[in-house]
Amino acid sequence: MAAICVFCASSTTLSPVYLTLATETGAALARAGHVLVSGGGTVGMMGAVAAGARAAGGHTVGVIPRALEDREIADRDSAELLVTETMAERKTVMVDRSDAFLVLPGGLGTLDELFEVWTIAGLGLHPKPIILVNLDGFYDGLLAWLDRAVADTMVRPDALKAITVVEDLDAALALL
Ligand code: AMP
């Protein structure tokens, strides 16, 4: 059993494909006996992953900044709801409470969270696995840019090894 942190979109106007992915991710983590750590809101994929985990009997930990409790509709059903004073503290708590990170499709906030854990892993400050779920090539553009950045020596090739890119949820679960 591990605590798995899921980063994903909070948008409320998503295609059902993404919401289904989030629901199935939460349910699969719960069935595997893992604790879910997530953003502590009920909106978008973030809400779906937590609801999916609980529907499958899982323990959920939500971490939400006080300033977003209304906007992201804080997840009062979460087994633990941790309210932070700042956005930065939210990420720190999520990192501290988790053994591994699963990054699903998302927007700017998801990228911020991905790069937060990736950059500190690249500096050797935590050894926790980071898995990027590149569903339907969602992150192809980002991965192509990273190749370019490595080619231009802006990014160390080793840094890329700090994340594992998979194509779907099953592959991610197999790694966990
Ligand atoms: P998004 O991918 O933009 O839908 O955002 C996903 C989640 O990331 C949302 O819960 C945002 O509140 C959160 N988020 C956005 N920026 C930050 C940040 N700087 N620190 C912590 N969480 C953030």
Side-chain angles (χ1 to χ4, degrees):
M1 190 200 89
I4 310 297
C5 181
V6 175
F7 297 134
C8 57
S10 60
S11 166
T12 55
T13 52
L14 295 167
S15 146
V17 171
Y18 294 117
L19 294 174
T20 300
L21 171 69
T23 304
E24 287 178 353
T25 299
L29 292 177
R31 282 196 300 271
H34 298 310
V35 167
L36 171 74
V37 177
S38 68
T42 57
V43 290
M45 294 172 73
M46 176 172 50
V49 75
R54 280 198 296 275
H59 182 95
T60 59
V61 180
V63 188
I64 193 164
R66 195 173 302 284
L68 295 184
E69 275 186 289
D70 291 339
R71 183 161 159 180
E72 296 190 348
I73 314 176
D75 187 4
R76 307 277 167 213
D77 293 330
S78 192
E80 295 177 64
L81 182 65
L82 310 176
V83 180
T84 67
E85 294 307 321
T86 67
M87 302 293 281
E89 190 189 347
R90 177 198 229 178
K91 284 182 286 193
T92 302
V93 172
M94 291 175 93
V95 171
D96 288 348
R97 289 292 303 255
S98 305
D99 300 305
F101 306 95
L102 201 52
V103 185
L104 306 181
L108 294 179
T110 304
L111 286 181
D112 177 76
E113 290 163 329
L114 166 64
F115 280 104
E116 172 82 11
V117 294
W118 193 350
T119 48
I120 55 179
L123 294 171
L125 299 180
H126 78 72
K128 302 173 183 179
I130 304 167
I131 301 166
L132 181 70
V133 180
N134 187 27
L135 186 79
D136 197 23
F138 181 82
Y139 284 112
D140 281 354
L142 174 67
L143 297 171
W145 173 81
L146 285 163
D147 285 342
R148 156 75 191 266
V150 168
D152 288 358
T153 72
M154 301 285 179
V155 173
R156 285 180 297 108
D158 268 6
L160 291 190
K161 294 187 188 139
I163 70 162
T164 305
V165 181
V166 298
E167 299 305 316
D168 56 34
L169 178 60
D170 285 346
L173 294 170
L175 288 172
L176 291 173

